Structure formats: C-alpha cells, structure tokens
C-alpha cells in the first residue's frame, strides 16, 4: 500500500533529523545557527512569519492562518503585531498571559490548535529546530548550563542572551554524572508533540475539590523517597506537570477564568519572572507562551472581582470577534461541510451565501449614519462596490462600534440547521429556500435567543430571502441571455459608440443613412439605470469606461463584453428586462409548447454545465423565478 510506504519514508526522514552530541558540539551549532537558541515567543512569531506575509491595501495577511480561519485578518494582524512580534523582541508583553476573548464558535480554539500543530511541524524544520539537555523531563535549554558570571561574555561573543537558571535535577546531574564538566553534558534535538507531552501542554479545569496542583507543577514520587532519602532530592520528584512539559513551547489554559485561584497563583511568577515554585526546590525556570481563551461574560465577571487584580495586570486581552464578511462566512460553511458526512449532498449555488448573509446581519450593529442601512453595510464590509461609498467610509463604520462582531448567530448553529435540512428533506440536493426555512424553524427552539433578538433575526431571514430573490432572477437572467450573446455584444458596441461620442462631444454616424446624429441619451440611460447609475453620476461612469478602453488599447488588447464587470451586468439586465416576458411565459407555463420546452432545456443545461446546479436544483430555480416574475 502507498500509505505504508509513505509512513516508512516519514519515519526515515524523522530519523535523519535526530541529533545527539556534547554541549561543546552544540555550541558549534549555536555559532552557525543562532536561531536555535531563540525564546518560545520568538519561535512562535518566526513560525508565523516564515509561512509568508502578504500586504494588501496596507494590511498584513499571514498565510499561516489561511485555509482554517476566515474573515479574522484584522484580529490576527493585531495579535501578531501587538503581542507575538514585541514578545519575540523580548519586550515586556512576553511577560503577559495571552487571553483570547470572543463569542462561542468564533475561532479561538481553532487558533490555539493551529499554533500547537504549527509548532509541532515547525520543530522539524531547520528554522524551528529545538535542542535540549538529554534526559531532562522539562527539555531544558542547554545554555542554562553556562554560569551566570560568564553570560555577559557569552552575549558579547554569540549575541545571545541567556535567561533562566539550571533546574535542580540538571544541577544535580551535572555534578553526579558529569563531574561538573559542562562541555561533556549530552544534548539532543527534540521535536514538539502534544501527544508525547514535549514542549506543548494543555490544562483544563475540573472539579476544584479533586483537581491537584500537581497537574500543573509535578509531584513527589513517594516510591523513590526510600531510595534517595529525602523529598527535596530532585530525583524523587516527577517533573511531569503541564507547566514542566510545556517548557520551550506553548501552554494552553482552557477556560482559564473558571480555574480555582490556587492554579492561577503559579502564573503570576511564571509570567513576570519566568519561573514557578514546585516541591521543596528553588524556583524552576520555564520559557513558555501561555495562551488562554474565554468568553466576554466570564471575562467581565473576572475583572469585577478585586481579588483578581494582580493576575489581571499580567493579562493581555485579544478580542477574537465573529467574522463579518459574507464571502468568508461562506468559506467557513464550506470547510465545515467538507469535513462532515454530508459532503456528498448537492448544495445548490448561492445556498451557503444566502445563509451567510443572514448570519452576518445578526452580527452587525445598526449604522449611526442615516445614509446607510445594514444591507449596504454588509456589502461594504464584504468588499463590494456600493455607489457613493469608499474605503474611508468602511473604516469609519468599523470605528463606530469597536465591539462589533462579539455577538450574533454562530457558525455551528447554521451548520446544524443545514444538516437538519439535509436529513429531513431526504433528497440529494438542497437550495437556499430550504436552508432559510430550516434557520427560521430553528430560531423557535434556540435556548439563548431573547424574544427581541428572535424578532430581529426573523426580519433578517426576510432580508436574506429578498437578496436571494434578486440572485435567483439574475442567475436565470444570465442563463437566458447567454442564448442572446450576439444581441448582448451588439447592444454593448452600440452603447460604447454613443459613450465615445458623448465624452468627445462629437456626433455619431447612422450606419444605414450616413446621417450624423447626437449620442442616444435614452439608450445610454436605459442601460446605466439597470445598475443604479444616477443622473449625476452618469458622466463619471462614462468617462471611466472610456479610460478603461484606452488602457486596453495601450496594452494592445481589445475591450470586449467581459472587460468591465458592472457594464456587463448592466447589459445583461437591460436584455433581461426586454426578455422578461419571454422568461415569465417559459418558466411558468405548465404545458410548454415545443419552442418553450426547447428554451427551458437549453437554460437548464446552461445552469448545470456552467453554473454548478444539478438537474433538480436547476429546475427548482426556474420554477421559483417563474413564480417571482408572475407576482
């Protein structure tokens, strides 16, 4: 089997990466590759940066998060630039717990899981290589072996700062096993693994009465006390707590604010001083990124308690709101469906988009400006062009409510309703109307939605339905108009001739009579009005078309039917307006004649071949659009 060969190859490659040598040999590696001695925070930052960074319109997009987190670019940029980057530079923020705060199913756990899985993979790369004192349960940094009085000289020679003290166990091993000869201490390359508890730890609170602090800091091994004679002998201690095992990497505190206070006290010195107390030993050094997550209600309750002030001052809160872009929400649903057992069900085009529209509307806050409504705001956030608004307006809208996106419907609810819809319908195809119906029914039984919110959400379902009506008509319009492609091209050429004459203040010649005439204002406006170009905006639109034609000409390219998205849409709408009666009759006739049947079959074939429908969903779409046009 191919999979067995791949497993064998993976094992062989892993074996090649293993390294073991003395501390003296390790210093040669440090001299050649100083990044192997980087801190945990620096390693996480470099892991994200090495995956690639794109700059789009002055905003950074980190490829590390692509394909898993959608619509959170601004939150992720803030997280990397305000926490990981300065922490990697050893600034004070590294002495803070990173607390991700956001609504349920907003991506907090996914983000932490990505960091953990990413570190595991990164430790197998040259840039992410990690070395530790061999046999150390805490995978201790070998540079801790260098005495404090030599560290300044080491920094001058190697350019590397050493922080932290040698752990009690390795201090004893250095004397007993190596006779104090630091250069002989064995060092090995380690690979992070949550499953093997190497460099990645996870702590989840349970019943305070039964949970032991040893889960965090390790515990005495009573079976060895007789052998070693004392509880303060480090060999009689199990350094197997989550804080021990997460050393050099990342420590996840699940539901941190639900923890008993005694578990949080250890974090005070760990974050501020880089050490913690365990057993009857001196403070134990640990270098790890501590990340926790919570929801807004728990966080507000936590900071309201005066007893938590010391810990609160050592926390950096990063809001992780819901995504507010329709297209990105659609991608979230696609991913969740792809990973489910209903991936083989045909979901008609625009179904997930319409569901996403409803969801995003529930998360948006009513604009304070009178010239914009929620639907326009939704479109602007998604990057759509809305006449009369630009990027500056979008930025102003975002500043109106800094906490926007911290409430609303979560993606899991939508996927649950889609699943319910698929199972109930028992057919291999569902469409937008099926999903909207399922979403509406689900609101009646949603436990955490107030009566006021339920009324608002029902209104949003109606808005999403109206949006779908327009999409459905436009989809059928495109499929019908395709049969009239020559008409579309002719109409466009005619429009462009008139625009050119208008902009150049010239006349156009009638191709039949040769007579010179003024540009046909009625024709131009009948097309421009289809996409909402106002009388005041027509001149700017026409000039923009002419500039686009000139730009194409300079490149030696021909401006055609597909060269301008909005103009093409206007031409299609104009043709469709003229064809509406034909479409109405064709889609709604119960007993179509031969000509009508031929046209229906052509349109169905077009919807299947080029627009992603199947036979069932294409016929459902035609029937629905027929009913809309007959209202």
């Amino acid at each position: 089997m191919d999979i067995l060969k791949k497993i064998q190859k993976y094992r062989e490659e892993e074996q090649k990466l293993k390294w073991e040598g003395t501390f003296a040999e390790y210093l040669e590696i440090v001299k050649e590759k100083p990044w192997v001695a980087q801190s945990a925070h620096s390693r996480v930052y470099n892991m994200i940066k090495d995956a690639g960074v794109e700059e789009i319109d002055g905003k950074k997009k980190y490829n590390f998060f692509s394909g898993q987190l959608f619509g959170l670019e601004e939150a992720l940029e803030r997280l990397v630039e305000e926490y990981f980057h300065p922490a990697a530079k050893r600034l004070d923020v590294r002495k803070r717990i990173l607390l991700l705060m956001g609504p349920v199913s907003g991506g907090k756990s996914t983000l932490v899981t990505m960091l953990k899985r990413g570190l595991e993979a990164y430790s197998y790369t040259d840039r992410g290589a990690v070395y530790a004192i061999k046999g150390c349960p805490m995978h201790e940094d070998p540079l801790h072996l260098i005495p404090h009085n030599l560290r300044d000289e080491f920094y001058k020679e190697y350019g590397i700062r050493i922080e932290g003290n040698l752990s009690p166990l390795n201090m004893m091993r250095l004397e007993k096993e190596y006779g104090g000869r630091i250069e002989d201490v064995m060092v090995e390359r380690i690979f992070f693994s949550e499953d093997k508890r190497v460099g990645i730890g996870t702590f989840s609170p349970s019943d305070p009465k039964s949970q032991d602090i040893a889960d965090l800091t390790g515990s005495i091994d009573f079976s060895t006390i007789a052998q070693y004679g004392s509880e303060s002998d480090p060999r009689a201690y199990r350094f197997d707590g989550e804080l021990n095992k997460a050393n050099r990497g990342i420590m996840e505190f699940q539901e941190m604010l639900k923890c008993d206070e005694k578990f949080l006290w250890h974090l005070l010195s760990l974050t501020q001083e880089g050490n913690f107390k365990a057993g009857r030993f001196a403070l134990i050094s640990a270098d790890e990124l501590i990340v926790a997550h919570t929801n807004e209600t728990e966080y507000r309750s936590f900071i309201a308690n005066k007893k938590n002030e010391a810990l609160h001052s050592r926390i950096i809160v990063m809001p992780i709101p819901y995504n507010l872009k329709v297209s990105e929400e659609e991608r979230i649903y696609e991913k969740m469906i792809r990973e489910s057992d209903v991936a083989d069900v045909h979901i008609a085009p625009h179904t997930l988009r319409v569901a996403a529209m409803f969801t995003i509307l529930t998360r948006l806050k009513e604009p304070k400006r009178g010239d914009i409504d929620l639907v326009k705001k939704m479109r602007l956030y998604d990057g759509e062009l809305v006449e009369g608004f630009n990027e500056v307006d979008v930025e102003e809208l975002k500043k109106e409510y800094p906490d926007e996106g911290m409430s609303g419907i979560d993606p899991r609810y939508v996927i649950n309703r889609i699943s319910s819809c698929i199972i109930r319908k028992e057919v291999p195809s569902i469409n937008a109307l099926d999903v909207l119906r399922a979403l509406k029914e689900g609101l009646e039984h949603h436990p955490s939605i107030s009566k006021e919110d339920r009324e608002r959400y029902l209104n949003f379902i109606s808005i999403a339905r109206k949006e779908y009506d327009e999409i459905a008509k436009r989809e059928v319009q495109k499929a019908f108009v395709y049969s009239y492609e020559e008409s579309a091209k002719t109409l466009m050429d005619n429009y462009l001739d008139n625009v050119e004459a208008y902009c150049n203040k010239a006349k156009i010649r009638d191709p039949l009579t040769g007579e010179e005439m003024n540009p046909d204002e009625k024709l131009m406006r009948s097309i421009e009005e289809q996409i909402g170009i106002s009388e005041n905006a027509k001149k700017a639109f026409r000039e923009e078309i002419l500039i686009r034609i000139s730009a194409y000409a300079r490149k030696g390219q021909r401006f055609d039917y597909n060269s301008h998205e909005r103009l093409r849409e206007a031409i299609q709408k104009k043709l469709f307006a003229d064809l509406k009666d034909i479409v109405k009759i064709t889609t709604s006739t119960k007993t179509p004649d031969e000509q009508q049947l031929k046209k229906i079959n052509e349109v169905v074939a077009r919807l299947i071949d080029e627009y992603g429908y199947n036979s069932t969903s294409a016929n459902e779409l035609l029937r629905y659009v027929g009913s809309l046009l007959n209202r």
Side-chain angles (χ1 to χ4, degrees), residues 17-56:
L17 291 174
K18 287 184 178 177
W19 181 90
E20 191 178 299
T22 64
F23 180 70
E25 290 169 323
Y26 170 68
L27 282 182
E28 293 302 314
I29 294 175
V30 172
K31 191 173 281 188
E32 186 187 338
K33 304 172 182 177
W35 61 81
V36 299
Q38 64 191 325
S39 68
H41 289 83
S42 178
R43 191 173 289 110
V44 172
Y45 173 67
N46 286 324
M47 168 187 75
I48 294 168
K49 195 177 68 169
D50 289 351
V53 186
E54 295 176 42
E55 195 150 330
I56 304 164

Side-chain angles (χ1 to χ4, degrees), residues 245-512:
K245 293 299 183 181
N247 187 34
R248 313 294 299 286
I250 189 168
M251 166 73 184
E252 178 190 7
F253 248 91
Q254 295 179 348
E255 303 296 343
M256 186 183 84
L257 303 185
K258 288 179 181 172
C259 279
D260 189 73
E261 285 177 13
K262 66 182 180 183
F263 289 94
L264 301 180
W265 292 337
H266 282 278
L267 301 184
L268 294 176
S269 65
L270 180 58
T271 51
Q272 195 62 37
E273 310 299 335
N275 52 43
F276 63 92
K277 190 82 173 75
R280 297 178 181 178
F281 306 115
L283 292 167
I284 296 173
S285 295
D287 170 32
E288 53 200 80
L289 185 159
I290 299 175
V291 58
H293 37 91
T294 188
N295 60 48
E296 195 169 3
T297 307
E298 279 180 356
Y299 177 69
R300 300 290 168 216
S301 173
F302 173 77
I303 60 174
N305 187 343
K306 293 288 182 185
K307 289 199 299 184
N308 296 326
E309 281 182 357
L311 188 61
H312 182 229
S313 67
R314 288 174 172 83
I315 289 175
I316 280 192
V317 181
M318 282 290 164
I320 305 292
Y322 281 134
N323 156 59
L324 295 176
K325 296 178 181 176
V326 171
S327 53
E328 295 297 306
E329 189 73 10
E330 199 177 351
R331 292 178 67 194
I332 293 172
Y333 302 155
E334 285 168 358
K335 173 179 172 270
M336 293 171 89
I337 288 168
R338 203 165 48 240
E339 294 169 352
S340 73
D341 291 336
V342 295
D344 57 335
V345 174
H346 173 77
I347 297 175
H350 311 296
T351 299
L352 299 182
R353 183 166 188 80
V354 172
M357 285 178 183
F358 161 72
T359 313
I360 298 301
L361 285 169
T362 68
R363 298 172 185 171
L364 294 177
K365 296 198 174 184
E366 203 67 47
K368 293 176 182 177
R369 291 169 52 170
D371 59 342
I372 189 164
D373 59 19
L374 267 185
V375 174
K376 281 182 182 174
K377 184 177 183 178
M378 174 183 76
R379 291 197 169 123
L380 285 167
Y381 274 18
D382 202 33
E384 286 186 44
L385 291 172
V386 177
E387 192 178 353
F389 300 95
N390 55 33
E391 192 61 37
V392 176
D393 296 299
V394 177
E395 293 305 315
E396 283 179 8
L397 284 169
K398 288 177 180 176
K399 287 173 185 171
E400 284 185 348
Y401 301 101
D403 62 338
E404 191 168 47
M406 297 300 275
S407 61
I409 291 289
D410 67 278
R412 283 188 197 134
Y413 170 77
V414 178
I415 289 299
N416 289 344
R417 298 313 301 160
I418 290 173
S419 303
S420 166
C421 172
I422 289 168
I423 291 161
R424 190 171 64 249
K425 200 175 177 191
E426 291 184 342
V427 292
S429 171
I430 62 165
N431 59 37
L433 295 176
D434 296 324
V435 171
L436 285 176
R437 204 173 296 117
L439 288 169
K440 185 177 180 180
E441 289 168 4
L443 291 177
E444 297 299 320
H445 311 290
H446 200 298
S448 60
I449 295 178
S450 66
K451 189 178 178 183
E452 293 77 16
D453 281 343
R454 188 173 287 115
E455 291 302 316
R456 280 177 56 242
Y457 292 173
L458 287 171
N459 181 46
F460 293 148
I461 284 177
S462 300
I463 292 172
R465 169 77 178 266
K466 286 174 188 168
E467 292 292 310
Y468 175 65
D469 290 351
E470 292 306 309
I471 291 170
K473 285 190 278 190
R474 196 160 57 240
E475 197 84 323
V476 172
Q477 159 196 316
K478 284 194 292 184
F480 263 89
V481 167
Y482 194 92
S483 308
Y484 297 85
E485 195 168 357
E486 285 307 312
S487 306
K489 287 177 180 174
T490 304
L491 182 59
M492 187 165 195
D493 288 342
N494 196 357
Y495 174 78
L496 293 176
D497 288 343
N498 280 278
V499 163
E500 198 169 351
Y502 170 85
C503 291
N504 294 327
K505 295 185 173 56
K507 292 185 180 290
I508 60 172
R509 193 177 296 277
D510 188 300
L512 297 176

Side-chain angles (χ1 to χ4, degrees), residues 117-135:
R117 295 296 83 79
L119 269 181
E120 288 177 344
Y122 195 57
S123 67
Y124 282 85
T125 67
D126 186 55
R127 288 275 298 163
V130 191
Y131 294 82
I133 295 172
K134 188 180 179 187

Side-chain angles (χ1 to χ4, degrees), residues 3 61 116 169 177 194 203 205 237 373 388 400 411 441 459 507 518 520 541 564 573 577 625 627:
I3 189 66
K61 181 187 175 188
K116 293 196 290 189
L169 179 63
E177 293 178 30
E194 186 173 19
F203 182 79
Y237 195 85
D373 59 19
E400 284 185 348
E441 289 168 4
N459 181 46
K507 292 185 180 290
N518 288 322
D520 190 342
F541 181 75
H564 194 287
K573 281 188 172 180
V625 170
S627 71

Side-chain angles (χ1 to χ4, degrees), residues 172-197:
M172 177 177 276
R173 289 179 64 207
L174 176 62
E175 294 304 320
K176 290 187 180 284
E177 293 178 30
Y178 298 101
R181 290 179 57 81
I182 291 170
E183 62 271 31
D184 294 339
V185 174
M186 294 303 291
V187 175
E188 64 180 347
R189 183 172 178 181
I190 61 168
F191 304 99
F192 287 159
S193 167
E194 186 173 19
D195 294 338
K196 295 176 183 176
R197 302 186 74 212

